[in-house]
Amino acid sequence: MNALVGTGGLIRLILRRDRFILPAWIVLLAVIPVSYVSGIEELYPTAAGRAQYAATSGTNPTFLALYGPLHSTSVGGLVAQRAGFLPLIVGLIALLTVIRHTRGEEEAGRRELLGSTVVGRHAGLAAALIVTMTATLVLGLLSGLVLTSGGLPASGAFTLTLSWTFAGWVFAAVAGVAAQLTEGAGAARGIALGVLGLAFVLRVAGDVGGTGNELSWLSWLSPIGWAHGIQAFGGERWWVLVLSAALAAVLIAVATAVSARRDVGAGILAARLGPADAAPGLRSPFALAWRLHRGLLMSWTAGFVALGLIFGGVADGVGDMVEDNPQLQEIFARMGGRGGLIDLYLAGIMGILGLIASAYAIQAALRLRSEEANLRAEPLLATAVGRLRWAGSHLVFSVLGPVVALLAAGATAGLVHGLNAGDVGEQLPRALGAALVQLPAVWVLTGIAVALFGLLPRVAAASWGAFALFLFLGQVGAVLGLDQWMLDVSPFTHIPKVPGGAVTAEPLLWLLAVTLVLMLAGLVGFRRRDAAVG
Amino acid sequence: MENIIVAAALTKSFGPTQALDGLDLTVRAGEVHGFLGPNGAGKSTTIRILLGLLQADAGHVEMLGGDPWRDATTLHRRLAYVPGDVTLWPNLSGGEVIDLLGRLRGGLDPKRKADLLERFDLDPRKKGRTYSKGNRQKVALVAALSSDVELLLLDEPTSGLDPLMEEVFTTCIEEERQRGRTVLLSSHILAEVERLCDRVTIIRNGASVETGTLAELRHLTRTSISAELASPPNGLAQLGGVHDLRVDGTRVRFEVDSNQLGPVLRQLTTLGVRSLTSQPPTLEELFLRHYQDELTGSQPQGASR
């Protein structure tokens, strides 16, 4: 039988199942960059203004780490840098989509159902890859069109947007391989996310020291780095796309080869047997929650340690940049000189870490909903475990998990920066404080997730909408020149800019109060509503 | 006799779907009670209300002398539940799940667990994601049967089990009955209920249509008779309660209402009987008769949850 028979039918099935989410992310991601065009044209209408921006914001390590290098001072160049997180986002979406439609289906047993019909052995993988890769291509073309119609030169616009497409292709292929390796979709997702994270970290490590630093070769090890290396609007290097295309092709060949050699439902990494009896400690909902959350907690903490190492490692270099640039010294003198600039950098970095930690808070809190919707909560709630006790066992991780992650990032950043600056005793507590002060804002996201879970369980995943909104307000809001009241919607707007800034307890207490009210509303709602609803 | 479960006039709707519409259910202490109905009749919804997972819109419900919604956790110490659709945590082994659920209920008999694992031929070391549907069902069954509880709530517990394992399950429930435990067994498999249950409640479209012992319900049923007679069967068709009469010379086949059996047999003997076989009514027929209009076209209104 032809191994690809039935691919067309499976493609239609995927399109039917993703008929809302697929167009939604394509349109959203295609529209975000054009909002930068108008924002940047408004804020920096002159070439001189943009040059100033390029010399200050555009090359500060926070921006370099987050968005990648700046290749040109044209409007397009600034837009390209500002949109620098898109390769990561597109890669993430591509990876999740492929895993969901391959290993996810297999684990749920639906793949077997389809496999018994006229569907070839590679059809599932092929359909998932075709849909995902076509979707990222549509995104690239659509976004290129939108940017061109927004007034940017077509060659630069399409180079930029197609670089996202190719990042999507690489990570779709990475997911295709990961899906062949493990029996569980969760583990496959973990492997693919690990590769994505590594690619991002390599890119950050290569770029954060500025153009031409001795570590910039690291970016060239990363498919995300390639998306920046193409230099949209700054002397396009189209040949970089070949790297991505070649890697994607190789990975797809590997995935196909592995898929041909394994059984349906099986992985290459064999599942191990577990214990026949539970350990004596496995006797409470919390003990179960620990089993379910510990892997997630450890990977998030490891990721935060890595981020702390990178961000802390470059902090001292931020000061050097000022000293190398006499024109800027005057500006930065007003900001508190070398020390002030480093503080500003640390505060900015910790704000970003706080936002990332809130993604963890949401993920951990939404475990409540996935346990319920997958009917795994039902047998537990049918034992002597009360609803609040069960909910609490998961919420502990949503509340304390980010504490652990931010502690880890703050401690490593403070330690590394302190060692560089020869002043661990002072820098460590400052970095720790800057990391932990984010928590009240992080917990607001826990609160939102719990409130939705308790009151509107079927749309609990909308918590990610709140996260996206706060991300948007924090990263784009200032560029667009949004009104302060709009920026104030995000809890992160209210976090004091420390180290360096003044700390007042009032906004933090307000955030805690908001969190408490949201959590209480959610828990009361959960106690009153029907449980175990799908 | 003490009633373990009393539900009266329960109603429950999910949006536009009326899942329960005046359901009554009484389960007495120490009995195995069959809860029969087709898919979507409201069996799982009823059991989830008994577990305090769902709250009834109206009606009265009492279980083990308490209110299932208000006293959920205290009542749950005294019962074990096997869901109709068992999902396990992918990274926990079956043995771990059995122990965990048992401990959370407040007690598990390790000897009985080992015995049940052997009888159900279940490897407790496998991880949740690697079990087949039948094996997941076995994990939940072993966890429930080895727990030290008074009441078992079993929601279609044999779905996914092969015939050999159904046999094991039947023996286990017999043992539970001898220990004096109360069992509510929901099922759409009639033979299972017929073999195991002392009393039966039949529901359709979210309301109970019949309840009683199998003997009490048999008056609603018909016995099938086939006989070879000495002379042609004159006058048989005129007797009350005879249905579907087919005559082939001196051979007859027909069905008779169980309460009309006496007069019909007398008529047969006057005609002279050479051979006779009779088939007792099965729950299958009883069931079919109650759902006849449904079978001939109209759709069920309820939902499975």
Side-chain angles (χ1 to χ4, degrees):
Chain A
M1 187 171 78
N2 183 346
L4 290 175
V5 159
T7 305
L10 290 185
I11 289 175
R12 279 195 295 280
L13 176 67
I14 295 176
L15 291 178
R16 169 67 177 73
R17 291 183 61 198
D18 286 3
R19 65 192 186 283
F20 296 121
I21 185 84
L22 208 59
W25 68 255
I26 291 178
V27 169
L28 185 71
L29 290 183
V31 166
I32 285 182
V34 81
S35 71
Y36 294 138
V37 179
S38 50
I40 284 168
E41 277 174 343
E42 199 170 306
L43 286 173
Y44 308 102
T46 64
R50 289 195 296 274
Q52 167 107 19
Y53 171 87
T56 53
S57 304
T59 47
N60 89 39
T62 319
F63 271 42
L64 290 177
L66 259 185
Y67 305 127
L70 180 68
H71 295 297
S72 144
T73 58
S74 65
V75 173
L78 266 54
V79 168
Q81 190 198 23
R82 256 298 180 170
F85 61 90
L86 269 149
L88 181 73
I89 304 282
V90 174
L92 179 71
I93 294 177
L95 164 172
L96 293 176
T97 311
V98 169
I99 299 267
R100 197 159 74 84
H101 288 292
T102 52
R103 183 53 73 172
E105 287 298 282
E106 221 170 301
E107 190 185 26
R110 289 187 286 265
R111 165 81 172 75
E112 211 174 348
L113 189 69
L114 289 170
S116 61
T117 63
V118 186
V119 168
R121 134 173 306 279
H122 297 313
L125 178 64
L129 286 175
I130 289 172
V131 169
T132 310
M133 293 170 79
T134 311
T136 57
L137 181 63
V138 170
L139 163 68
L141 296 176
L142 182 65
S143 190
L145 274 179
V146 173
L147 283 180
T148 312
S149 66
L152 295 185
S155 65
F158 280 98
T159 317
L160 175 66
T161 57
L162 286 177
S163 76
W164 308 335
T165 300
F166 278 74
W169 286 12
V170 169
F171 286 99
V174 165
V177 174
Q180 312 305 319
L181 299 181
T182 64
E183 283 192 2
R189 208 173 288 130
I191 291 176
L193 285 174
V195 175
L196 181 74
L198 181 68
F200 180 66
V201 166
L202 282 173
R203 209 249 336 124
V204 171
D207 290 343
V208 79
T211 336
N213 75 91
E214 67 270 28
L215 288 179
S216 23
W217 58 275
L218 284 174
S219 297
W220 288 98
L221 298 181
S222 158
I224 295 183
W226 300 342
H228 298 268
I230 198 167
Q231 296 193 353
F233 300 102
E236 286 86 1
R237 296 190 287 200
W238 282 89
W239 56 267
V240 180
L241 293 182
V242 178
L243 285 179
S244 306
L247 180 60
V250 168
L251 289 170
I252 290 171
V254 170
T256 316
V258 178
S259 157
R261 278 168 185 75
R262 67 179 183 87
D263 296 332
V264 169
I268 289 297
L269 312 174
R272 282 169 301 184
L273 289 176
D277 304 286
L282 187 59
R283 51 171 58 253
S284 66
F286 176 76
L288 174 64
W290 167 249
R291 282 289 296 275
L292 302 178
H293 282 272
R294 67 182 176 191
L296 197 63
L297 175 64
M298 283 169 194
S299 14
W300 274 97
T301 308
F304 269 67
V305 166
L307 290 172
L309 280 175
I310 295 170
F311 290 146
V314 303
D316 210 43
V318 180
D320 297 341
M321 284 182 36
V322 193
E323 274 148 29
D324 295 347
N325 190 337
Q327 293 160 325
L328 293 180
Q329 275 180 358
E330 192 193 333
I331 301 172
F332 287 127
R334 273 183 270 140
M335 294 160 78
R338 182 190 169 91
L341 186 64
I342 296 178
D343 283 354
L344 210 60
Y345 161 77
L346 281 176
I349 285 299
M350 291 306 173
I352 289 155
L353 287 180
L355 200 57
I356 300 177
S358 66
Y360 175 29
I362 294 176
Q363 195 185 6
L366 287 185
R367 183 85 200 214
L368 282 173
R369 179 58 192 153
S370 71
E371 286 287 296
E372 183 189 22
N374 292 322
L375 299 179
R376 287 194 287 257
E378 192 184 1
L380 284 182
L381 293 174
T383 67
V385 174
R387 292 190 184 191
L388 291 186
R389 204 166 144 228
W390 173 75
S393 74
H394 287 278
L395 289 184
V396 166
F397 291 90
S398 178
V399 171
L400 296 185
V403 178
V404 173
L406 284 169
L407 262 178
T412 41
L415 204 62
V416 172
H417 174 50
L419 286 173
N420 280 342
D423 191 8
V424 176
E426 197 194 332
Q427 295 306 330
L428 184 59
R430 279 158 61 87
L432 271 179
L436 294 181
V437 81
Q438 309 295 326
L439 284 167
V442 173
W443 288 332
V444 170
L445 274 301
T446 300
I448 291 173
V450 176
L452 284 172
F453 166 74
L455 300 170
L456 298 165
R458 287 196 170 82
V459 296
S463 319
W464 289 111
F467 173 76
L469 176 70
F470 300 159
L471 180 75
F472 176 80
L473 289 174
Q475 299 305 311
V476 187
V479 183
L480 292 182
L482 294 180
D483 289 344
Q484 187 61 36
W485 69 264
M486 288 165 94
L487 299 179
D488 280 346
V489 169
S490 167
F492 291 94
T493 311
H494 306 281
I495 295 296
K497 304 282 175 280
V498 289
V503 183
T504 46
E506 196 186 348
L508 298 179
L509 292 176
W510 271 111
L511 290 175
L512 286 176
V514 169
T515 305
L516 273 180
V517 168
L518 286 168
M519 287 180 73
L520 272 178
L523 290 174
V524 168
F526 176 55
R527 260 187 75 149
R528 290 194 181 164
R529 72 172 168 86
D530 287 342
V533 287
Chain B
M1 201 187 284
E2 188 199 347
N3 287 330
I4 294 286
I5 296 173
V6 182
L10 286 187
T11 62
K12 175 77 188 172
S13 56
F14 300 102
T17 319
Q18 186 81 24
L20 294 185
D21 189 10
L23 181 117
D24 303 305
L25 174 69
T26 307
V27 177
R28 297 173 188 159
E31 74 176 2
V32 177
H33 194 103
F35 194 34
L36 259 185
N39 293 325
K43 303 189 294 292
S44 297
T45 302
T46 309
I47 290 182
R48 285 185 175 141
I49 288 176
L50 291 174
L51 285 168
L53 294 171
L54 306 180
Q55 193 169 27
D57 296 336
H60 168 79
V61 59
E62 198 182 308
M63 181 179 66
L64 294 165
D67 175 348
W69 180 261
R70 222 185 41 235
D71 314 323
T73 48
T74 34
L75 295 180
H76 290 174
R77 282 181 207 287
R78 300 162 62 189
L79 65 83
Y81 164 57
V82 174
D85 201 350
V86 181
T87 46
L88 301 174
W89 296 274
N91 53 344
L92 261 67
S93 73
E96 287 181 305
V97 172
I98 293 170
D99 283 347
L100 174 70
L101 290 177
R103 288 167 186 173
L104 292 178
R105 281 179 194 124
L108 180 107
D109 180 352
K111 276 217 313 259
R112 181 137 172 86
K113 173 191 159 194
D115 174 48
L116 286 165
L117 283 175
E118 198 186 318
R119 283 161 73 181
F120 278 109
D121 191 23
L122 179 71
D123 182 353
R125 293 170 306 160
K126 283 191 166 182
K127 295 287 180 73
R129 73 166 68 88
T130 61
Y131 283 119
S132 66
K133 172 167 168 52
N135 281 336
R136 290 202 300 270
Q137 201 77 35
K138 288 183 200 172
V139 169
L141 275 171
V142 172
L145 294 173
S146 56
S147 296
D148 192 13
V149 292
E150 299 162 46
L151 170 64
L152 293 171
L153 297 177
L154 312 177
D155 192 0
E156 308 213 346
T158 56
S159 58
L161 295 189
D162 59 42
L164 210 64
M165 289 303 141
E166 278 178 32
E167 198 56 43
V168 175
F169 170 76
T170 309
T171 330
C172 287
I173 297 300
E174 281 299 335
E175 289 170 16
E176 298 303 323
R177 189 214 309 276
Q178 274 150 32
R179 275 166 218 230
R181 299 207 220 183
T182 310
V183 180
L184 178 65
L185 173 69
S186 106
S187 181
H188 63 266
I189 303 167
L190 309 154
E192 175 177 289
V193 171
E194 205 169 7
R195 279 183 69 181
L196 285 170
C197 297
D198 306 301
R199 294 198 319 134
V200 178
T201 297
I202 299 175
I203 74 165
R204 59 175 300 199
N205 296 347
S208 10
V209 287
E210 286 297 337
T211 185
T213 63
L214 285 176
E216 280 166 1
L217 296 184
R218 286 215 170 96
H219 77 276
L220 300 164
T221 62
R222 297 169 184 171
T223 303
S224 312
I225 306 256
S226 80
E228 181 154 10
L229 304 175
S231 52
N234 297 325
L236 208 53
Q238 282 75 50
L239 281 179
V242 173
H243 308 270
D244 300 336
L245 178 65
R246 264 171 291 174
V247 183
D248 176 15
T250 56
R251 298 172 69 96
V252 292
R253 281 169 62 193
F254 58 89
E255 291 183 354
V256 54
D257 290 345
S258 298
N259 50 359
Q260 295 294 319
L261 206 52
V264 171
L265 282 180
R266 271 196 294 280
Q267 175 71 15
L268 285 182
T269 30
T270 54
L271 293 166
V273 180
R274 289 215 180 113
S275 78
L276 180 131
T277 52
S278 84
Q279 252 181 336
T282 65
L283 212 46
E284 194 99 45
E285 288 164 335
L286 183 146
F287 199 74
L288 279 175
R289 286 183 60 191
H290 276 290
Y291 292 97
Q292 229 157 23
D293 56 342
E294 210 165 86
L295 291 169
T296 54
S298 72
Q299 287 294 308
Q301 302 291 307
S304 70
R305 51 183 57 224

